[in-house]
Amino acid sequence: MKKTVLSLVSAILCISAMQGKVVLPHILGDNMVLQQNTEATLWGKARPSSKITVTASWSGTPVFTRSDRDGCWEAKITTPAAGFTSHTITVSDGTGEDAVIKDILSGEVWLCSGQSNMEMPFDGYWNCPVEGAAEAIASAGLYNGIRFATIPKKGSYEPEEDVDTRWLKSTPGNIQWFSAVAFHFAKMLNMVLDVPVGIISCAWGGTKAEGWMPENVVKGYNDPWLDEQFEKNDIYNWQSPVIMYNGMLYPLRRFTVKGFLWYQGESNVGREMSYRERLPEMVRIWREMWGNDALPFYLAELAPYIYGGDGTAGARFREAQYTISKTLDHSGMVCTNDLVYPYEEDQIHPCRKEEIGNRFAYLALNRTYGIDGIQCDGPEYKSMTINGDTVEVFFDNAESGLSPWHGITGFELAGSDRIFHPAQANVDTEHKSVIVHSDKVPSPVAVRYCFRDFQIGNLTGRRNAPAVPFRSDNW
């Protein structure tokens, strides 16, 4: 039987409020970044039925609200334009000890979630370093406008109201434990927009998408493996559904963010058809929780890795991710096909996190912030034409042509027997297409590019943006 467990943090909140002390959730704390030019939500506990006064240092007009009979209160404050001026917020109930939040910046706030490749800190994992970590850590102090709140791994059977976290500044001692992908994303935004950037890192290695969704939704899925996990009732198991949503995500729902970054999927490989339906459902739920159905949701394609089976399980999942990114409003996908080394074929945590963070930033800078000069899309399969024993492949996002002219790797052709063979590929510079040929396939009917668990491609478009893996068939 499920039991509702009152956490120590929640107990402290209640006791403090009864004693007349205004108490704020941990996510509202010193060093935080508030989303600029918006109506940000503040909330907490105080004496029951008290008048609450919220005073922000940037405004001469305090905001008033009242706590309910349980002492819960909520208020909206108008945040200033982004800047590096340090601010404070004071919350008072007029009878007890005020709560003061210090060294607040106004800027851009993003929530970064998923599993271990999003969670992976600069310190790396066992036998798995992050490329460029030493330089990133040493230079961390140059980016004073970047602030991080890392959400601890906590499963819960019931939705929680607080998480034990705090905001940290970018220093060598701090960023070694930050998400490397999220930091590089923040660093690029910080440099280009010249504004503070706040990152909430809410990730747990090995988790499935169903772990980040509410119970009433997940229990509606007809999946034996989900039923088995519910029966285990294990809040410490990274495979458990729902518990990350309750224990890590739900407590953040009132903190105003600009958008979401998502790097997850390894644990859902093999279930790409259900993922096509469930990830958009998850995004809808998240946007509904934050009260904005237009919040950007950018996802990272799974990097090449040998998953086993017929050698295409990962490729089929990436295809699902790409389809989701194209059908989901206010979304986009970072291609990672070129961001692994050959020796990482059986390493689920490839080391090149900087490029992934930067590509996330290019998506946001182009699509969310409207900077047209920043390219964020690589070549994407458009169509093919069969010309005897060759196939000509055409791409979207190839206005400036394709590269390299010769020596392209990753293409395969198949005939009516559906057996794919490695093929030679060269760029047709006039038509901005790729001509593909294989001596073993005299009558081709289908073409694929890097449609394997582990296959590193080198086809690129403008500014070396990689071509997205694809297949022309649906076998």
Side-chain angles (χ1 to χ4, degrees):
M1 178 182 295
K2 289 188 176 180
K3 296 181 180 179
T4 302
V5 180
L6 183 63
S7 67
L8 177 60
V9 171
S10 297
I12 292 172
L13 286 176
C14 294
I15 294 171
S16 298
M18 288 189 294
Q19 293 175 342
K21 180 180 179 180
V22 175
V23 182
L24 302 174
H26 286 77
I27 194 65
L28 299 178
D30 295 349
N31 306 318
M32 72 177 177
V33 179
L34 291 177
Q35 180 59 42
Q36 66 163 323
N37 294 328
T38 190
E39 292 292 308
T41 302
L42 301 180
W43 69 99
K45 299 280 288 188
R47 290 173 64 89
S49 304
S50 298
K51 180 181 178 180
I52 307 299
T53 304
V54 180
T55 306
S57 62
W58 62 83
S59 172
T61 305
V63 174
F64 302 99
T65 187
R66 294 196 71 85
S67 61
D68 63 20
R69 60 186 178 183
D70 295 319
C72 299
W73 60 268
E74 183 177 297
K76 297 279 189 181
I77 61 169
T78 301
T79 58
F84 296 92
T85 299
S86 177
H87 299 288
T88 62
I89 293 175
T90 302
V91 184
S92 174
D93 67 357
T95 59
E97 183 180 343
D98 296 348
V100 181
I101 312 174
K102 303 173 184 177
D103 197 10
I104 302 166
L105 298 180
S106 186
E108 296 297 305
V109 182
W110 288 76
L111 189 146
C112 303
S113 188
Q115 55 185 109
S116 56
N117 276 304
M118 179 61 84
E119 177 191 352
M120 189 174 185
F122 280 107
D123 195 54
Y125 292 142
W126 187 251
N127 292 326
C128 186
V130 171
E131 188 173 81
E135 179 181 353
I137 293 170
S139 61
L142 299 175
Y143 304 97
N144 295 322
I146 296 177
R147 310 282 177 86
F148 253 77
T150 300
I151 307 304
K153 300 175 187 177
K154 181 183 179 182
S156 177
Y157 298 131
E158 303 292 340
E160 297 278 340
E161 289 296 337
D162 197 13
V163 284
D164 189 9
T165 189
R166 61 192 179 111
W167 288 87
L168 297 175
K169 296 181 180 181
S170 177
T171 67
N174 287 335
I175 81 154
Q176 59 183 318
W177 311 116
F178 287 174
S179 160
V181 167
F183 180 83
H184 283 300
F185 167 80
K187 176 180 171 182
M188 184 62 69
L189 258 59
N190 175 248
M191 292 190 300
V192 175
L193 301 177
D194 193 25
V195 300
V197 178
I199 296 292
I200 302 174
S201 178
C202 184
W204 186 339
T207 54
K208 295 177 168 63
E210 292 84 355
W212 301 96
M213 301 173 71
E215 182 175 351
N216 67 311
V217 173
V218 177
K219 281 207 165 180
Y221 297 143
N222 183 24
D223 258 345
W225 75 267
L226 281 171
D227 294 337
E228 292 174 5
Q229 291 300 325
F230 276 120
E231 289 176 6
K232 290 179 180 179
N233 217 15
D234 186 357
I235 62 171
Y236 303 104
N237 187 347
W238 46 263
Q239 296 190 69
S240 296
V242 177
I243 64 169
M244 296 84 194
Y245 171 88
N246 286 336
M248 299 172 66
L249 188 75
Y250 188 82
L252 307 173
R253 69 195 183 282
R254 288 186 276 193
F255 197 97
T256 305
V257 299
K258 187 69 173 184
F260 307 111
L261 304 186
W262 178 251
Y263 193 169
Q264 185 277 340
E266 295 90 343
S267 292
N268 283 91
V269 168
R271 298 187 175 97
E272 66 274 2
M273 297 310 295
S274 63
Y275 198 80
R276 288 183 187 229
E277 299 176 358
R278 294 176 189 177
L279 189 67
E281 177 77 351
M282 187 199 81
V283 176
R284 182 194 65 77
I285 292 167
W286 286 20
R287 287 171 172 170
E288 187 176 272
M289 288 170 62
W290 266 266
N292 185 347
D293 61 6
L295 283 178
F297 184 89
Y298 300 130
L299 62 147
E301 173 192 58
L302 295 192
Y305 172 78
I306 294 178
Y307 287 95
D310 70 352
T312 65
R316 294 174 191 277
F317 192 86
R318 295 182 200 106
E319 183 181 60
Q321 291 180 302
Y322 174 73
T323 300
I324 291 167
S325 74
K326 288 300 180 181
T327 55
L328 188 65
D329 291 339
H330 313 292
S331 184
M333 187 188 79
V334 168
C335 181
T336 64
N337 177 254
D338 59 329
L339 299 182
V340 295
Y341 294 112
Y343 68 82
E344 293 179 312
E345 63 179 10
D346 56 354
Q347 173 53 267
I348 198 73
H349 305 118
C351 65
R352 296 172 65 178
K353 302 305 185 194
E354 181 174 5
E355 292 100 323
I356 297 176
N358 287 346
R359 289 176 186 179
F360 266 130
Y362 301 151
L363 270 173
L365 290 167
N366 179 291
R367 299 186 184 179
T368 300
Y369 299 103
I371 304 178
D372 293 334
I374 294 178
Q375 176 72 20
C376 65
D377 295 307
E380 299 172 4
Y381 174 74
K382 181 179 181 181
S383 62
M384 73 166 188
T385 300
I386 299 173
N387 302 307
D389 62 351
T390 66
V391 170
E392 185 171 12
V393 183
F394 299 90
F395 296 86
D396 290 321
N397 306 321
E399 299 85 354
S400 297
L402 300 161
S403 180
W405 290 13
H406 306 292
I408 300 171
T409 59
F411 276 92
E412 295 179 291
L413 289 179
S416 57
D417 60 1
R418 300 188 176 188
I419 299 175
F420 281 89
H421 299 273
Q424 297 77 48
N426 296 290
V427 170
D428 183 322
T429 58
E430 180 181 357
H431 296 105
K432 301 173 185 176
S433 60
V434 174
I435 307 300
V436 187
H437 169 76
S438 173
D439 291 337
K440 295 184 178 180
V441 188
S443 300
V445 299
V447 60
R448 293 182 175 185
Y449 173 70
C450 291
F451 202 80
R452 296 282 177 181
D453 280 354
F454 189 92
Q455 192 167 44
I456 304 171
N458 65 347
L459 182 64
T460 68
R462 182 184 297 172
R463 298 173 197 162
N464 286 324
V468 177
F470 70 87
R471 58 174 173 170
S472 66
D473 61 280
N474 61 357
W475 301 335

